[in-house]
Amino acid sequence: MKDTQGLNVLVMGVSGSGKTTIGRMLAQELAGEFIDGDDLHPQNNIDKMRQGIPLNDGDRQPWLSKVAECFATAKRQGKIRVIACSALKRQYRDVLRSGDSKLCTLFLNPDPQLLKKRMLSREHFMPTALLQSQLDTLESPTGEGLTFEYQSASGDISAQHITSAFLSWLLEERIYNGKQEI
Ligand SMILES: Nc1ncnc2c1ncn2[C@@H]1O[C@H](COP(=O)(O)OP(=O)(O)OP(=O)(O)O)[C@@H](O)[C@H]1O
Ligand SMILES: O=C(O)[C@H](O)[C@@H](O)[C@H](O)[C@H](O)CO
């Protein structure tokens, strides 16, 4: 066992997949810090999405660098940090892993109908019309290291249940035991 405490978790998925809800819960359970990646977007990215225009690689690049830097800082300081960030493509996640090569990922992957229902019933800058472009852009992280996927295709599963399943996975995989890196 290492004597340094520290863990970085990426909670990823398309819009409405539950990143903020579950990321916040997870950070609380881990007694760590939560950052919503949406708060790190430059204003022009928010404006673009608000207008119903999907972001492109160039728009996301400075934003991903910021998120990677947040992971790198936590790593240096031995902190526990959970960041909600869509991280839709493999190349985006590679940028994030440049901040911490041992980054753990929770991939939230609900059924598109459920996503649509959730997005229609909330107040948010992201229009529901952008959901399809999010789904089209998504490259599954399955098979990438230190990744746990939660697919709730058969219906809504509580955020608490998903959070607990991820915490159990961290323990089973001997990644983190609630006190320190294993
Ligand atoms: N497991 C869940 N069960 C039921 N409702 C959920 C669950 N997770 C999230 N929600 C609800 O779905 C909506 C979207 O969740 P949330 O904002 O956490 O998603 P998000 O991935 O952060 O979205 P975005 O990236 O668009 O900000 C919210 O209204 C939230 O309360
Ligand atoms: O990469 C992207 O296209 C963005 O990060 C979006 O995913 C939104 O920020 C988020 O979902 C807010 O609804």
Side-chain angles (χ1 to χ4, degrees):
M1 284 217 186
K2 297 204 179 119
D3 55 8
T4 51
Q5 194 189 51
L7 176 72
N8 273 315
V9 178
L10 163 69
V11 183
M12 63 154 286
V14 300
S15 191
S17 57
K19 304 181 291 294
T20 308
T21 308
I22 287 161
R24 192 165 280 140
M25 205 173 267
L26 192 56
Q28 203 166 357
E29 293 284 338
L30 289 165
E33 185 189 8
F34 173 72
I35 297 177
D36 190 344
D38 276 349
D39 296 336
L40 302 176
H41 270 300
Q43 188 58 42
N44 54 312
N45 281 2
I46 303 286
D47 293 343
K48 225 177 150 176
M49 289 187 272
R50 210 186 284 281
Q51 289 162 36
I53 307 168
L55 302 183
N56 58 37
D57 290 352
D59 297 321
R60 291 183 178 118
Q61 189 267 325
W63 168 64
L64 291 165
S65 298
K66 261 196 187 177
V67 179
E69 186 47 42
C70 284
F71 281 133
T73 306
K75 184 79 186 169
R76 274 196 303 275
Q77 298 176 346
K79 286 185 174 169
I80 299 169
R81 185 165 278 178
V82 178
I83 305 185
C85 170
S86 49
L88 298 176
K89 293 187 186 180
R90 171 67 193 253
Q91 70 188 75
Y92 301 165
R93 297 187 289 275
D94 286 345
V95 173
L96 302 185
R97 291 187 181 114
S98 74
D100 180 358
S101 59
K102 290 170 77 183
L103 180 64
C104 291
T105 300
L106 168 57
F107 173 36
L108 301 173
N109 191 19
D111 178 77
Q113 286 310 317
L114 182 56
L115 290 165
K116 194 172 170 196
K117 193 178 96 189
R118 283 184 188 170
M119 287 179 76
L120 284 170
S121 61
R122 70 173 181 172
E123 287 288 323
H124 198 280
F125 67 81
M126 189 75 168
T128 308
L130 279 187
L131 176 59
Q132 192 54 51
S133 88
Q134 293 268 301
L135 292 166
D136 292 344
T137 307
L138 177 68
E139 294 170 6
S140 165
T142 306
E144 293 173 22
L146 298 174
T147 296
F148 178 81
E149 173 175 348
Y150 209 101
Q151 185 157 17
S152 48
S154 55
D156 229 339
I157 313 260
S158 79
Q160 186 60 59
H161 182 90
I162 298 171
T163 302
S164 299
F166 182 72
L167 289 169
S168 300
W169 175 79
L170 286 180
L171 262 177
E172 276 159 28
E173 294 293 312
R174 296 185 50 77
I175 296 168
Y176 195 78
N177 69 4
K179 295 188 188 73
Q180 58 194 158
E181 264 184 295
I182 300 174

